[in-house]
Amino acid sequence: MGSETGTGVALPDLPASRTEPDGSAVVRVLSYNIRSMRDDVAALARVIRACRPDVVCVQEAPRFFRWRKAAARLARTSGLVHVAGGATASGPMILSSLRAHVERIEDVLLPRTPGLHQRGFSTAVLHFGRARLGVLSCHLSIKEWERYEQGRLLLDRLAALDVPYAVAAGDLNDRPDGRTFGLLAGALQDGWATKPWGREHTTRLGDPLQRIDAVFATEGVEVLGCGVPMGLPGVEERDLRAATDHLPVLAALRVPAA
């Protein structure tokens, strides 16, 4: 059965994680800006668990004192494991379920502009049976010119993973009509635009409506649904409000067997 969105419209169920007879894998990818876990961590973990993700691309993971302990706490309470990132990528982080086998990881710090935050990418190559998926978590600059250069670097880094199928997810600090969003959407599949599901806008409930968080996939990955999981069973509006200042984006992707 479906569930209800915040607007009262029926929300159809998103495909569950599974391995198909041909070896392809349905993988659920969640992108979530968690604001350094400064809010209600229990609510945050409840939202993540309810989404039943195989992979979580985190932004604004803890970066300072005892950051590894905080990352481990979030992974544990969410029923996941820490794969890569955190302070080593200046905020982006990757978590996964035990379903994923980690082939390799790499955290990348981007060129820093004086007076602006250090930015980075957290990347991994994961196996789901015979399906092999590159993953990149990002949080791009608030400055338009720097953000565009980071978008170009993101595409370069995704190609450098040297895998046939990949996903990039994160907080773009840009809207679909923006130059950087357009750059990425021109080279990759924008999950929401390809197969909209759930709610579109990712800013905090009550804030101006914007879609600034997204999940992108390379050619060959089939997008089965993508959007904010408001109304998904177990995802409560009070938890979304308490967890952080962004809404999560959940995508179901079919990744072909290698």
Side-chain angles (χ1 to χ4, degrees):
M1 295 177 59
S3 52
E4 296 295 316
T5 67
T7 61
V9 178
L11 177 62
D13 290 334
L14 198 66
S17 303
R18 61 180 181 270
T19 300
E20 306 284 19
D22 64 358
S24 64
V26 176
V27 178
R28 290 168 71 119
V29 177
L30 184 71
S31 182
Y32 211 173
N33 183 319
I34 64 171
R35 203 163 75 141
S36 298
M37 295 169 61
R38 295 199 300 266
D39 302 291
D40 188 333
V41 178
L44 178 65
R46 285 193 295 270
V47 171
I48 294 174
R49 286 198 307 270
C51 291
R52 304 190 308 278
D54 299 294
V55 180
V56 183
C57 291
V58 173
Q59 302 85 50
E60 291 195 36
R63 294 182 294 134
F64 300 112
F65 183 64
R66 293 183 176 175
W67 70 269
R68 293 183 188 276
K69 183 175 181 180
R73 175 191 174 196
L74 178 62
R76 183 178 64 254
T77 56
S78 302
L80 303 168
V81 295
H82 176 262
V83 173
T88 49
S90 198
M93 182 170 73
I94 298 172
L95 307 177
S96 81
S97 70
L98 293 176
R99 182 185 179 214
H101 171 76
V102 181
E103 177 184 315
R104 66 179 188 269
I105 64 171
E106 183 178 10
D107 294 325
V108 180
L109 294 179
L110 302 179
R112 183 175 184 179
T113 301
L116 297 179
H117 289 300
Q118 174 72 65
R119 302 283 177 173
F121 301 143
S122 183
T123 72
V125 176
L126 306 176
H127 289 252
F128 298 89
R130 290 166 49 205
R132 188 164 171 251
L133 181 68
V135 179
L136 185 152
S137 178
C138 68
H139 186 186
L140 304 187
S141 176
I142 60 172
K143 297 294 185 180
E144 195 278 336
W145 64 268
E146 184 182 46
R147 180 167 62 243
Y148 187 76
E149 288 305 311
Q150 291 170 354
R152 292 165 61 94
L153 292 172
L154 185 157
L155 294 176
D156 290 344
R157 180 58 54 176
L158 211 58
L161 291 178
D162 194 27
V163 292
Y165 310 109
V167 60
D171 178 354
L172 305 184
N173 274 315
D174 202 23
R175 297 183 296 272
D177 60 354
R179 191 163 69 122
T180 304
F181 204 118
L183 172 71
L184 299 181
L188 305 167
Q189 299 180 80
D190 172 8
W192 166 264
T194 303
K195 188 74 170 181
W197 169 90
R199 185 181 192 268
E200 177 180 4
H201 301 107
T202 66
T203 42
R204 177 170 47 192
L205 294 169
D207 286 354
L209 296 177
Q210 299 182 82
R211 183 162 73 94
I212 59 174
D213 305 80
V215 175
F216 294 94
T218 58
E219 185 178 354
V221 175
E222 183 182 359
V223 180
L224 303 174
C226 179
V228 174
M230 184 177 292
L232 194 70
V235 177
E236 302 291 340
E237 183 172 323
R238 63 177 178 272
D239 283 342
L240 291 172
R241 291 182 180 277
T244 177
D245 61 347
H246 282 243
L247 297 177
V249 179
L250 179 62
L253 311 172
R254 180 178 283 113
V255 182

